[in-house]
Amino acid sequence: MKLTLYAAIIVLVGVATAATLNQNNADCPSDRRFLHDLKSLLRIHLGEKIIPPETDSPYWTSSGKHLRKTTWGKTTCPKGNDVVYKGYAGGSHYQAKGGPGTTLCLPVAPIYEKYTSEASDSYIYGTEYETGREASPLHRLYQDDVPCVVCQSHHETSAIMVPARNECFPGWHLECKGYLFGGASAHTGSSDYVCVDSEAEAMPGGKANTNGHLLYMIHAKCGALPCPPYVDGWELTCALCTK
């Protein structure tokens, strides 16, 4: 136990030192990645309670029928929600001919049980923003890795993701709004649609362009989809609404 506490102190001192060294260059990706990795290691070895979940309220809601939801592209929850956990967006490889088609929010501190180093028939990859068009919304995040956060509402019990709107219908509360993302039509990998926050963030130091699970902005295509009211080639918005 003493050794564990000593390790915790060493890591915390490292975090504090890195933060001090970086105070004149707060946007240095390598330093931000270092801080992030230290916190992740601390969570893995000492448990999540050492670095408690961050909330916008003085209490932690962990029971009852309150709504839990995932916000893509963010590390914080909207007001009126508690953070259940933060993590990394992940999914199947963009060139995979099979595999799951769901985007998951993977926690920063995984827990393993039985494991092997043998090759597998199924893998999950981290997600990257593919907003390569210079005039595209969120182009600043091109090739960055996608964060996510699972939130629990204090009050709401129902949620819908409304595509092609950045406003909720009457009687619903807007939690966040953004742009509709999914896999590329030309890729063989399966994917789903996710609503990425319009004020999206990126994982620290994540512009490596490793091309695993990729998210592209969804554009409307006229045909069976009527134009108007849709506009061919325009990026579609989205909204997460609760009640």
Side-chain angles (χ1 to χ4, degrees):
M1 182 63 182
K2 289 183 178 179
L3 182 61
T4 302
L5 290 175
Y6 178 73
I9 293 172
I10 293 298
V11 174
L12 288 173
V13 169
V15 171
T17 302
T20 301
L21 291 174
N22 192 38
Q23 60 184 351
N24 294 323
N25 187 17
D27 196 36
C28 177
S30 60
D31 284 354
R32 286 187 282 119
R33 185 72 188 188
F34 173 70
L35 290 170
H36 175 267
D37 290 345
L38 279 177
K39 290 181 180 179
S40 296
L41 287 173
L42 188 58
R43 287 191 176 98
I44 291 171
H45 292 291
L46 302 180
E48 291 285 347
K49 291 183 179 179
I50 299 298
I51 301 180
E54 300 171 18
T55 72
D56 67 352
S57 66
Y59 59 89
W60 171 251
T61 306
S62 59
S63 61
K65 297 182 179 180
H66 296 302
L67 175 72
R68 292 177 178 86
K69 52 190 176 294
T70 302
T71 302
W72 303 102
K74 297 292 287 184
T75 58
T76 57
C77 292
K79 186 175 181 180
N81 294 266
D82 288 322
V83 176
V84 179
Y85 71 89
K86 302 178 187 180
Y88 317 99
S92 295
H93 194 277
Y94 74 101
Q95 291 179 322
K97 295 182 179 179
T102 304
T103 304
L104 295 178
C105 187
L106 301 167
V108 297
I111 298 174
Y112 294 96
E113 192 167 343
K114 295 181 180 180
Y115 55 88
T116 175
S117 58
E118 297 176 0
S120 173
D121 294 318
S122 187
Y123 292 94
I124 191 166
Y125 296 81
T127 306
E128 293 179 357
Y129 296 106
E130 293 296 326
T131 51
R133 300 182 181 183
E134 292 188 5
S136 175
L138 303 183
H139 173 68
R140 60 184 173 81
L141 297 173
Y142 180 50
Q143 304 294 10
D144 270 318
D145 297 336
V146 182
C148 55
V149 58
V150 176
C151 308
Q152 180 167 276
S153 172
H154 299 168
H155 308 292
E156 287 82 5
T157 58
S158 299
I160 54 173
M161 190 277 282
V162 182
R165 284 180 64 93
N166 56 13
E167 297 179 3
C168 295
F169 292 103
W172 291 80
H173 171 70
L174 179 66
E175 291 284 342
C176 65
K177 61 181 180 179
Y179 294 94
L180 195 64
F181 276 73
S185 300
H187 291 166
T188 53
S190 57
S191 65
D192 57 349
Y193 293 104
V194 297
C195 185
V196 175
D197 196 284
S198 59
E199 300 296 327
E201 307 167 36
M203 298 302 300
K207 277 194 182 291
N209 189 24
T210 53
N211 283 336
H213 182 248
L214 306 180
L215 286 180
Y216 293 80
M217 303 193 87
I218 303 299
H219 301 75
K221 188 63 180 176
C222 295
L225 191 65
C227 298
Y230 288 86
V231 180
D232 195 87
W234 282 21
E235 293 87 352
L236 292 177
T237 57
C238 57
L240 178 61
C241 305
T242 59
K243 67 182 303 184

